[in-house]
Amino acid sequence: MAQPLHDIEENEQPMMSRFLIPGWVKYHYSLPDNWRETPIERIQEIKEGLKRFKNVENPVVSIIIPAYNEEGYLMKTLSSISKIKTNFPTELFVINNNSTDATQEILDLLEVNSYLEKLQGVSFARQSGLERARGEYIVNADSDSIYPETWVDAHVAMLQDKTVSCSYGRYSFIPTQNNRISLGFYEMMAEVIFRMRMPHKEYFNVMGFNFSFRRADGIQVGGYNTKRKVWEDGWMGMLLKQVGNIKRINDQGAWVWTTDRRLLEDGSLSVAFLRRVSGQLGRIYGYLFPVKDYTFKPR
């Protein structure tokens, strides 16, 4: 009998997978950057795959995607979501955070449930999603990432452990201007920082495009901090740490591929890495030893 995917440990993953883009990622990401050039048969295929996430009477899982001016990536992300295989009734909706491009046009074309959030900022968008969700489990995505077929069930499997309040998965970058080999080495070096944060400050590892929690826990801790313009994901992880454990999914079942555009904001890959390392030096003590964190006030 084949070994279940979630039982395969990190050190059993093929080394070269860190430096190559898998074929399934290329399949979705190879869609045209101009979504209007997407072949009609691919549009129909994506739409058909997304149908099962509509009109779900009693969802167990809610996939929530915030989107702001994502016409260049959204079709690719939804293509990957359309291929997800899950054993749980799952709803999907996108929170359109005042997009001025064709984001809503794409959502309407693919007949994806969507809601407009007029308060600007990803924290408002994620909070809007939390308030609208009906599933027991909230699985968070972003609109510029590619998701494996096993993504939902990998997160739910982790959260079925009642001692776990927040699960997060690993990720790799899709190169736009960098090359995959250099990005692979960047990720390996960044992994050192990730491991230093475990277990005392593991919420710093929680990324908005690949984490999940139980809806009841999210509400209990007060929801997202809408006063924050950034780090709404890690902040939620920090609050959830007070009601359970944060756990990383180490296997490829929840390994997400996302664009490297945020790294490019620093100018180059080396500058991005040095900036992140220097930013972590003052936090090393907190990573290694317990330090009291912010305490939530239950609603």
Side-chain angles (χ1 to χ4, degrees):
M1 180 180 297
Q3 188 176 9
L5 183 60
H6 58 77
D7 288 340
I8 301 176
E9 294 298 327
E10 173 191 352
N11 59 11
E12 296 177 12
Q13 306 294 349
M15 182 64 176
M16 286 303 295
S17 67
R18 176 64 82 176
F19 301 104
L20 299 176
I21 302 177
W24 66 270
V25 175
K26 292 180 180 179
Y27 177 76
H28 301 296
Y29 201 74
S30 63
L31 287 171
D33 291 337
N34 182 349
W35 66 274
R36 293 180 175 85
E37 298 175 358
T38 306
I40 187 63
E41 59 271 17
R42 285 295 300 275
I43 292 176
Q44 289 301 123
E45 177 186 327
I46 297 169
K47 185 189 296 186
E48 187 65 29
L50 294 173
K51 276 184 179 180
R52 59 209 161 95
F53 301 131
K54 287 176 63 71
N55 304 319
V56 181
E57 291 188 6
N58 297 298
V60 173
V61 178
S62 298
I63 301 174
I64 303 174
I65 307 176
Y68 172 67
N69 289 349
E70 292 289 1
E71 67 174 10
Y73 299 99
L74 186 55
M75 184 74 74
K76 304 175 185 190
T77 294
L78 292 174
S79 175
S80 69
I81 296 290
S82 74
K83 295 296 184 181
I84 284 177
K85 298 177 181 178
T86 177
N87 296 317
F88 304 96
T90 300
E91 66 174 353
L92 161 71
F93 57 87
V94 175
I95 303 297
N96 183 350
N97 196 199
N98 296 314
S99 296
T100 57
D101 66 355
T103 290
Q104 190 61 50
E105 190 174 345
I106 294 171
L107 295 173
D108 294 341
L109 174 66
L110 297 177
E111 300 178 358
V112 174
N113 289 334
S114 64
Y115 302 96
L116 176 65
E117 174 51 57
K118 293 184 179 180
L119 295 175
Q120 194 66 51
V122 66
S123 58
F124 288 110
R126 293 201 189 279
Q127 179 63 24
S128 176
L130 174 59
E131 293 172 357
R132 296 175 185 277
R134 296 176 296 137
E136 177 183 358
Y137 304 104
I138 306 294
V139 185
N140 297 279
D142 268 357
S143 46
D144 65 346
S145 303
I146 305 297
Y147 295 87
E149 294 179 350
T150 50
W151 180 62
V152 166
D153 283 8
H155 275 282
V156 173
M158 184 67 80
L159 289 176
Q160 286 180 329
D161 179 348
K162 299 301 183 181
T163 68
V164 176
S165 61
C166 178
S167 65
Y168 68 97
R170 303 180 68 190
Y171 63 90
S172 290
F173 290 108
I174 301 170
T176 55
Q177 296 182 29
N178 297 293
N179 63 71
R180 184 55 223 153
I181 293 177
S182 61
L183 286 170
F185 280 114
Y186 172 90
E187 293 158 12
M188 291 172 68
M189 290 186 289
E191 187 75 20
V192 176
I193 297 175
F194 297 159
R195 290 187 178 280
M196 287 175 59
R197 295 167 174 167
M198 302 163 68
H200 304 306
K201 299 290 181 179
E202 192 163 7
Y203 48 79
F204 279 109
N205 294 344
V206 174
M207 303 292 181
F209 57 85
N210 192 13
F211 84 109
S212 64
F213 54 87
R214 280 180 288 275
R215 178 166 58 92
D217 289 340
I219 294 172
Q220 178 187 351
V221 301
Y224 289 94
N225 185 347
T226 55
K227 294 180 180 179
R228 300 192 64 89
K229 294 183 179 180
V230 296
W231 202 59
E232 85 295 338
D233 41 17
W235 187 277
M236 173 61 86
M238 181 177 67
L239 298 184
L240 290 168
K241 183 175 181 288
Q242 298 173 77
V243 297
N245 298 319
I246 300 175
K247 291 290 185 180
R248 183 171 77 171
I249 305 169
N250 282 322
D251 64 53
Q252 293 187 359
W255 197 315
V256 170
W257 288 72
T258 191
T259 65
D260 64 352
R261 59 180 177 165
R262 290 174 183 82
L263 292 178
L264 297 175
E265 294 174 358
D266 292 323
S268 70
L269 196 59
S270 58
V271 171
F273 182 75
L274 290 175
R275 181 176 178 180
R276 283 158 175 76
V277 169
S278 62
Q280 304 305 318
L281 291 178
R283 299 174 178 165
I284 290 178
Y285 183 87
Y287 292 161
L288 299 178
F289 303 99
V291 177
K292 183 176 177 57
D293 294 313
Y294 178 90
T295 300
F296 74 87
K297 298 178 180 179
R299 291 180 177 177

